[in-house]
Amino acid sequence: MNTTTYKGIGASPGIAIANAIVIHDEVYIPEPTQSQDKEASWARVQQAFTAAEQDIQAIYEHTKAKLGDKKAEIFEGHLMILEDPDLLEGIQTSIEEDGYEAEYALHATAQQFISILSEMDDEILRERATDVKDITNRIMSHLRGVKHIDLSSLQEECIIVARDLTPSDTALLDVNYVKGFVTAMGSRTSHSAIMARSLEIPAIVGAGDAVMSIETGVTLIIHTDQQEVIVQPDSSVLEEMTAQQQRFIQHKEQLAKLVDQPTISKDGSQVELAANIGKLEDIDRAISLGAEGIGLFRSEFLYMGKTSLPTEEEQYSSYSYALQKMGTKPVVIRTLDIGGDKELPYLNLPKEDNPFLGLRALRFCLVNQDLFRTQLRALLRASVHGNLKIMFPMIAVLEELLQAKQILAEEKQKLIDEGIAVNDHIEVGMMVEIPSVAVSADLFAPHIDFFSIGTNDLIQYTMAADRMNETLAYLYQPLHPSILRLVKMVIDAANKEGKWVGMCGEMAGDSLAAPLLLGLGLHEFSMSASSILSTKEQLMNLNKAEWKTHAEHAMTLAQSEQIVQYVQQQLTSNE
Ligand code: PEP
Ligand code: MG
C-alpha cells in the first residue's frame, strides 16, 4: 500500500475518514469526426438518452423526498428537455444527413439550442440554456461511458475530491453521506469552504491539482489541524486518526454545555455571538450551537441552485420563517450579494475579467433595481415577524449607501400606501468590506445603525489578493497590522457615533483573532455556527481590559507572524 500525503488549507475543522469519490468535471468537447456506422451512432444516442432519463428520474424522486418539491423542479425541467423532439431530431439529422459521430452530433445540436436560448428576450427561456448544458453533459457522459456523479444522490459514505466545488454544489451535499471534501482550488474564505463550516464537515481546500490523481474508492483521511489529506493510510495511522477523531467529538460534547450561557469576559464585558447562515435549514443547527442571533444571512443562497429568480412571495416566506424561528433575537439579512464566486447561471450575465472587482452585490442591485426592489419588499413585509436588520454588502462610496437607503425608503412608503404592515424600527446597516469604507468609517457612521466588518473581502481587497487563489493564500493574513488597524478604525468610528459594530467575516471565529477583537471592543462576533461554542469558551476565559492592551501592542508589530506569536504567548500565559 502506498501512502501519499497532500497539503492544503484546513477550511472546516475535524477529522474525516472515508473512501474517496473523485469528480472530474472538465467539459468534453468532441472532435467533428464522421460516423462509420450511422445506425449504430443513432442507437448509441438513444441509449444515452434513456440512461440519462433514468438518472434524472431517480434524482428527481430523491430530491423531492429530501429537499421538497421546489428543489426538485430543476430536474422536472431536465426531463422536459430530454423529451423535446426537436433536440433528438436535430441530433438525428446531424448523424444521418451530415454524417457526424454521435458525440459531435450531440455537442453541435446542443450548442445550437444553447445559443438560441441564450439570446431569447424571455428570461425563463434564457434560463433553459443552463439546463440544456447540464443535461448535455449528462448524456455525453453516458455516450462516452464516463461516470457522472450527482452530489445530491450519493448512497454511500465518502469524501469528495474535486478541482473546485461551486457554492451550489456544496449546498446540495448530503451530510449523511459526505463526510468531508478536498478541493484542488480555493481558500479558507471561498464560499465552498464557508459552506463546509456551516455543514460541519471537515474540508481541505487549495490542495493543488495533484489531488486530482487520487482514485475513486481509495481510503482517505482529512485532518484539518494538520492541513493534510492522507491517501491510503497504513493501519497504524488509521488507528491513531480514529482515536483523534474520537477525542475531537468528545471535546465537542463538552462544549455543548455552554449553549445557553451568555458570553461574558472574565472582567464582565458581554459580547454577542451570532451565526452566519446561507440556508433556512442552517437555523436549527445555529440555535442548537448557541447562536444568540443571525449576524449574517447570505440571502443570495435563496437565489442559487434554482432555475429562476425567487419571487417576492418565496422570499417573503423564507425571511418570515427565519425571523419567526429566531423570535426576538436579531436576524441580520444581507441583501443579494451575487458576483465573485457566486454565480446565477440563469441570469446569463456577461463574463467579467475581474469578477471580484466587478458588478457584484449592491453594485449589481443598484443597476438591476427591479430585482432589488422585489427583495426589499419581501424583507419589509417580513419585518413584522421578528427582529429584522437589513444590511447592504460591498459598499465603496457613500452615494451607494444613500441610494440603497433611498430605494428602501421608497419601497417602504409604497407598502404603507398599500396598507401593508411594516415594522417601524428596522435597523439598517452596511458591511465594511472595502478599505475605502474602513478608512473613512467615521463618514459613514452617521448614516447607519450598525456596521458589520466583512473581513473575507476586506482582506482580499486590502492585500489585492484574490480570495479564491490558493497560491496567494499566504496573503490571507487576518492578523496583519493593516487589517487590525482597519478593524480598529471601524470599531472606533462606530463607538464614537454610538452605533454597534459586528464582524461577519471568518476572522470573527478565528481563535487567534477573537481575543484581539474583544480587546478592540467589537460588539458582535458572527461566524459559522460550528465555531460559536469554542469561541464562547475562549472569550469567557479572557479579560477584555488586558486584551485591549495586547491589541494595542500587536498593532505596533510589523508582521503577522510576530503578532501570531505574541497572541499565542499571551494565550499560553493565560492558561
Ligand atoms: C465577507 O466578505 O467577509 C463576508 C462575510 O461576505 P462573503 O464572505 O459572503 O463575501
Ligand atoms: Mg463579502
Side-chain angles (χ1 to χ4, degrees):
M1 196 156 46
N2 264 342
T3 302
T4 321
T5 302
Y6 298 99
K7 282 277 177 195
I9 302 159
S12 170
I15 297 172
I17 307 174
N19 289 345
I21 289 192
V22 187
I23 300 172
H24 294 277
D25 57 355
E26 307 86 51
V27 179
Y28 172 73
I29 303 178
E31 297 282 322
T33 45
Q34 294 289 307
S35 167
Q36 302 304 320
D37 179 347
K38 292 180 184 173
E39 224 170 277
S41 298
W42 175 233
R44 286 207 301 124
V45 168
Q46 287 170 305
Q47 278 160 13
F49 265 72
T50 310
E53 190 169 351
Q54 283 166 357
D55 284 359
I56 296 169
Q57 192 64 47
I59 299 170
Y60 170 71
E61 302 295 343
H62 181 81
T63 311
K64 195 166 149 177
K66 224 175 52 179
L67 301 170
D69 289 356
K70 273 264 156 268
K71 286 253 162 42
E73 264 173 23
I74 303 180
F75 302 106
E76 239 171 5
H78 285 195
L79 286 170
M80 275 163 58
I81 294 167
L82 271 169
E83 283 156 16
D84 183 342
D86 290 346
L87 181 62
L88 263 173
E89 274 165 28
I91 301 171
Q92 193 172 17
T93 310
S94 178
I95 295 175
E96 290 176 359
E97 292 178 17
D98 307 329
Y100 286 119
E101 186 46 277
E103 284 82 353
Y104 187 77
L106 167 66
H107 169 74
T109 313
Q111 280 312 110
Q112 280 169 16
F113 269 66
I114 292 164
S115 62
I116 294 169
L117 287 169
S118 311
E119 278 156 25
M120 293 280 189
D121 284 337
D122 184 318
E123 198 180 300
I124 311 242
L125 289 175
R126 276 205 313 273
E127 286 154 16
R128 292 194 63 192
T130 320
D131 293 344
V132 176
K133 273 185 217 158
D134 271 12
I135 194 86
T136 311
N137 287 342
R138 182 178 297 281
I139 304 168
M140 189 66 88
S141 306
H142 281 292
L143 265 182
R144 300 174 60 221
V146 177
K147 203 164 157 37
H148 189 103
I149 294 164
D150 281 296
L151 295 175
S152 58
S153 58
L154 296 164
Q155 303 291 339
E156 58 193 74
E157 290 197 355
C158 63
I159 292 176
I160 301 285
V161 181
R163 243 185 82 64
D164 194 15
L165 289 174
T166 63
S168 44
D169 284 339
T170 324
L172 276 180
L173 295 179
D174 182 344
V175 289
N176 291 318
Y177 297 108
V178 180
K179 297 293 149 197
F181 69 76
V182 179
T183 57
M185 291 176 59
S187 67
R188 235 191 92 74
T189 54
S190 53
H191 284 95
S192 46
I194 292 170
M195 290 291 285
R197 283 194 282 282
S198 77
L199 293 171
E200 288 189 84
I201 54 174
I204 295 275
V205 299
D209 273 336
V211 291
M212 296 311 291
S213 61
I214 296 175
E215 283 175 22
T216 291
V218 301
T219 307
L220 288 190
I221 298 177
I222 295 182
H223 193 301
T224 53
D225 272 359
Q226 292 177 11
Q227 322 245 50
E228 273 180 356
V229 185
I230 307 169
V231 186
Q232 290 194 308
D234 61 32
S235 56
S236 65
V237 172
L238 202 56
E239 210 174 292
E240 166 59 22
M241 291 294 166
T242 310
Q244 285 195 26
Q245 191 181 36
Q246 270 323 104
R247 288 200 289 277
F248 182 84
I249 295 168
Q250 274 160 11
H251 182 224
K252 249 174 123 173
E253 285 165 4
Q254 282 287 323
L255 288 177
K257 297 185 185 135
L258 300 176
V259 165
D260 295 322
Q261 298 202 23
T263 314
I264 302 177
S265 68
K266 267 183 163 168
D267 53 347
S269 260
Q270 184 161 359
V271 293
E272 183 190 315
L273 294 193
N276 294 347
I277 64 163
K279 294 184 296 172
L280 296 177
E281 297 91 270
D282 297 339
I283 297 178
D284 281 332
R285 189 185 291 121
I287 296 172
S288 70
L289 290 172
E292 295 162 298
I294 302 296
L296 169 63
F297 181 159
R298 290 185 163 94
S299 68
E300 54 277 9
F301 284 93
L302 298 177
Y303 293 66
M304 294 162 76
K306 291 175 55 76
T307 53
S308 58
L309 288 168
T311 61
E312 181 181 321
E313 279 318 302
E314 273 169 3
Q315 293 190 59
Y316 166 73
S317 77
S318 299
Y319 303 145
S320 304
Y321 174 88
L323 288 162
Q324 276 160 353
K325 269 252 151 193
M326 294 304 291
T328 55
K329 292 178 177 156
V331 178
V332 180
I333 302 186
R334 171 172 79 181
T335 59
L336 180 66
D337 181 2
I338 209 66
D341 62 339
K342 290 175 288 193
E343 295 178 4
L344 293 184
Y346 56 81
L347 291 182
N348 284 312
L349 299 172
K351 275 253 166 289
E352 293 181 294
D353 286 340
N354 290 301
F356 274 113
L357 300 183
L359 192 65
R360 327 178 23 186
L362 188 71
R363 301 167 179 189
F364 175 81
C365 288
L366 293 178
V367 173
N368 295 280
Q369 283 195 18
D370 284 353
L371 166 159
F372 188 41
R373 286 177 189 271
T374 303
Q375 179 172 40
L376 294 178
R377 280 177 70 88
L379 283 167
L380 289 162
R381 284 173 51 204
S383 66
V384 292
H385 297 299
N387 186 358
L388 171 69
K389 298 173 196 296
I390 297 177
M391 175 160 78
F392 299 120
M394 277 292 287
I395 286 178
V397 292
L398 187 60
E399 299 87 287
E400 291 168 327
L401 172 66
L402 297 180
Q403 200 188 345
K405 282 180 64 176
Q406 172 64 29
I407 296 172
L408 179 66
E410 285 168 16
E411 290 309 316
K412 182 173 172 188
Q413 192 52 52
K414 278 191 219 161
L415 287 171
I416 293 169
D417 293 346
E418 289 166 35
I420 297 172
V422 176
N423 184 338
D424 224 16
H425 302 287
I426 307 171
E427 287 192 358
V428 178
M430 61 179 275
M431 295 194 66
V432 181
E433 293 167 287
I434 303 181
S436 64
V437 173
V439 297
S440 57
D442 56 321
L443 305 176
F444 286 82
H447 302 277
I448 45 101
D449 295 312
F450 65 93
F451 285 126
S452 184
I453 309 174
T455 46
N456 306 339
D457 279 316
L458 184 63
I459 297 174
Q460 87 162 336
Y461 297 132
T462 304
M463 301 289 175
D466 187 337
R467 67 196 259 190
M468 298 295 289
N469 187 331
E470 67 274 13
T471 344
L472 300 178
Y474 75 98
L475 287 171
Y476 177 77
Q477 295 187 10
L479 296 193
H480 192 269
S482 61
I483 303 299
L484 295 177
R485 289 178 188 196
L486 289 173
V487 167
K488 180 172 167 23
M489 289 175 100
V490 180
I491 297 175
D492 290 351
N495 280 336
K496 208 157 166 207
E497 215 35 66
K499 308 292 169 70
W500 66 268
V501 53
M503 178 179 287
C504 58
E506 293 301 305
M507 180 175 173
D510 180 320
S511 58
L512 293 179
L516 295 172
L517 297 171
L518 175 75
L520 289 173
L522 192 74
H523 303 124
E524 178 236 38
F525 296 61
S526 192
M527 61 194 74
S528 306
S530 55
S531 306
I532 291 179
L533 290 173
S534 51
T535 308
K536 188 179 277 199
E537 182 188 45
Q538 182 183 37
L539 295 181
M540 287 169 79
N541 280 313
L542 300 178
N543 188 308
K544 181 175 169 182
E546 276 171 27
W547 280 90
K548 182 171 189 288
T549 315
H550 297 327
E552 272 157 17
H553 177 71
M555 278 183 291
T556 65
L557 301 172
Q559 293 174 24
S560 286
E561 197 42 48
Q562 295 165 317
I563 300 182
V564 167
Q565 274 175 20
Y566 176 70
V567 172
Q568 278 166 340
Q569 274 163 14
Q570 303 311 317
L571 287 174
T572 321
S573 62
N574 190 61
E575 276 167 6

